[in-house]
């Protein structure tokens, strides 16, 4: 006889994976921790494999667990969509989207506005994170879609949206201090913009120093306003008080960078619609004319 997974148990592992804790999942779902534990054991019995392994004080999915979670997302989303169509629910499930911080001022609100008009009861989870982590989250099914940076011409997944030049950026009042090493304001490692800046400076045999390192784009702009150094980004979404300093201060040429759209293979129909809207808004707002 074919296995029939319990929908509530599948929902529990999806919420637990998203929250990173089955204790928090129990709170969100309004159940006791013992009830959640029983559901996990039931799923493992049905799957005939260990789905979670203990790590420290928590549980992490095994390879089999990751596979089941990916399917569980789609099953839960389809269940909720069916319930909504029959008037038995008020939510179409959660659509999870990842974006670089550069696009939070224009692409994100335009996408959400268009999506909400089509799916007024859907819940949307927006995440900003390191570029490589966004790609990993889509591959693992923890994000339905994401816009991700790639090196130009690199082998990789996703749909190419556009290619943009990288720029050296500084505050309009920035002045370098003599012949000292180039002061850089950078994202944490790993970062494609950071890698491009350091590679270009090293090839040009220009000394550099890390003036500020941060995971936040708003902190990058704050550091530049404090005239602490120079940063590398694209020209998209750059504040008005920042200027491009390409060709100044002896700074070397930078390569372009690709922007690609990644879509999960387990995305629900609502998530696929979100990715389609994201594609259109990104092409409209990011792609050079």
């Amino acid at each position: 006889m074919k296995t029939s997974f319990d929908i509530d148990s599948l929902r529990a592992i999806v919420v637990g994976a998203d929250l990173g804790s089955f204790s928090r999942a129990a709170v969100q779902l309004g159940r006791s921790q013992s009830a959640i534990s029983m559901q996990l054991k039931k799923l493992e019995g049905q799957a005939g494999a260990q789905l979670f392994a203990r790590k420290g004080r928590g549980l992490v999915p095994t390879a089999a667990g990751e596979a089941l979670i990916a399917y569980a997302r789609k099953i839960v989303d389809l269940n909720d969509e069916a319930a909504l169509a029959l008037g038995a629910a008020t939510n179409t499930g959660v659509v999870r989207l990842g974006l670089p911080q550069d696009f939070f001022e224009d692409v994100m609100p335009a996408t959400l506005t268009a999506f909400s008009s089509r799916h007024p009861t859907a819940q949307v989870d927006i995440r900003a994170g390191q570029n490589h982590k966004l790609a990993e989250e889509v591959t693992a099914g923890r994000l339905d879609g994401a816009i991700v940076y790639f090196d130009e011409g690199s082998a990789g997944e996703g749909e190419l949206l556009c290619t943009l030049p990288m720029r050296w950026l500084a505050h309009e009042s920035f002045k370098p201090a003599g012949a000292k090493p180039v002061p850089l304001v950078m994202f944490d490692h790993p970062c494609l913009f950071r890698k491009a800046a350091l590679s270009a400076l090293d090839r040009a045999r220009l000394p550099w120093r890390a003036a500020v390192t941060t995971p936040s784009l708003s902190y990058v702009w704050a550091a530049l306003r404090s005239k602490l150094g120079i940063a590398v980004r694209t020209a998209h979404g750059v504040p008005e008080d920042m200027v491009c300093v390409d060709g100044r201060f002896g700074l070397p040429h930078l390569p372009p960078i690709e922007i690609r759209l990644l879509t999960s293979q387990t995305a629900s129909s609502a998530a696929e619609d979100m990715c389609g809207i994201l594609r259109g808004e990104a092409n409209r707002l990011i792609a050079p004319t």
Side-chain angles (χ1 to χ4, degrees):
M1 186 174 69
K2 293 183 178 180
T3 299
S4 296
F5 291 110
D6 177 66
I7 189 69
D8 289 333
S9 299
L10 294 178
R11 192 184 302 276
I13 65 171
V14 169
V15 174
D18 289 342
L19 297 179
S21 166
F22 286 105
S23 297
R24 290 196 290 269
V27 173
Q28 179 166 315
L29 294 172
R31 300 175 193 160
S32 66
Q33 291 189 35
S34 60
I36 296 294
S37 296
M38 290 179 63
Q39 288 180 320
L40 298 184
K41 290 180 180 179
K42 180 179 180 180
L43 285 177
E44 288 187 326
Q46 291 177 319
Q50 182 179 4
L51 301 177
F52 298 91
R54 185 160 298 280
K55 183 177 181 180
R57 298 178 63 184
L59 295 174
V60 296
T62 62
E66 288 281 7
L68 182 58
I69 289 170
Y71 282 109
R73 292 185 190 282
K74 196 163 187 176
I75 293 169
V76 169
D77 285 339
L78 287 173
N79 175 84
D80 292 347
E81 287 179 18
L84 179 69
L86 296 173
T90 59
N91 198 302
T92 58
V94 181
V95 175
R96 303 165 183 83
L97 200 63
L99 290 169
Q101 297 171 58
D102 311 66
F103 309 129
F104 269 40
E105 295 297 323
D106 52 2
V107 176
M108 182 182 72
T111 299
L112 294 183
T113 298
F115 179 76
S116 64
S117 67
R118 301 185 193 180
H119 304 270
T121 62
Q123 178 184 339
V124 181
D125 181 1
I126 301 292
R127 304 182 194 178
Q130 291 179 309
N131 200 63
H132 70 288
K133 289 186 177 179
L134 291 178
E136 291 172 357
E137 294 282 283
V138 174
T139 300
R142 291 187 289 270
L143 284 178
D144 297 307
I147 287 180
V148 179
Y149 289 115
F150 279 84
D151 287 323
E152 185 187 32
S154 62
E157 68 279 11
E159 173 189 349
L160 177 63
L161 298 180
C162 64
T163 301
L164 297 178
M166 285 193 254
R167 303 295 190 193
W168 295 103
L169 301 170
H171 189 261
E172 57 190 1
S173 62
F174 174 78
K175 293 181 181 180
K180 292 183 178 181
V182 178
L184 296 177
V185 177
M186 303 180 289
F187 267 26
D188 296 331
H189 176 79
C191 168
L192 294 182
F193 292 97
R194 177 189 180 116
K195 183 181 75 172
L198 300 187
S199 296
L201 291 171
D202 288 343
R203 284 195 303 270
R205 297 184 178 180
L206 289 176
W208 57 270
R209 65 179 181 86
V212 176
T213 301
T214 174
S216 167
L217 185 59
S218 62
Y219 290 175
V220 168
W221 303 136
L224 295 188
R225 289 190 179 99
S226 300
K227 297 176 279 293
L228 296 178
I230 299 171
V232 171
R233 303 299 294 177
T234 70
H236 183 84
V238 174
E240 293 182 357
D241 56 343
M242 303 299 161
V243 296
C244 173
V245 292
D246 289 359
R248 296 168 59 182
F249 317 132
L251 293 170
H253 174 74
L254 292 166
I257 194 166
E258 291 183 353
I259 298 175
R260 299 183 190 175
L261 172 64
L262 306 183
T263 304
S264 172
Q265 294 183 348
T266 61
S268 66
S269 59
E272 289 176 351
D273 193 25
M274 169 71 89
C275 290
I277 294 170
L278 177 60
R279 177 190 300 108
E281 295 301 334
N283 284 328
R284 181 175 70 88
L285 297 169
I286 302 174
T289 56

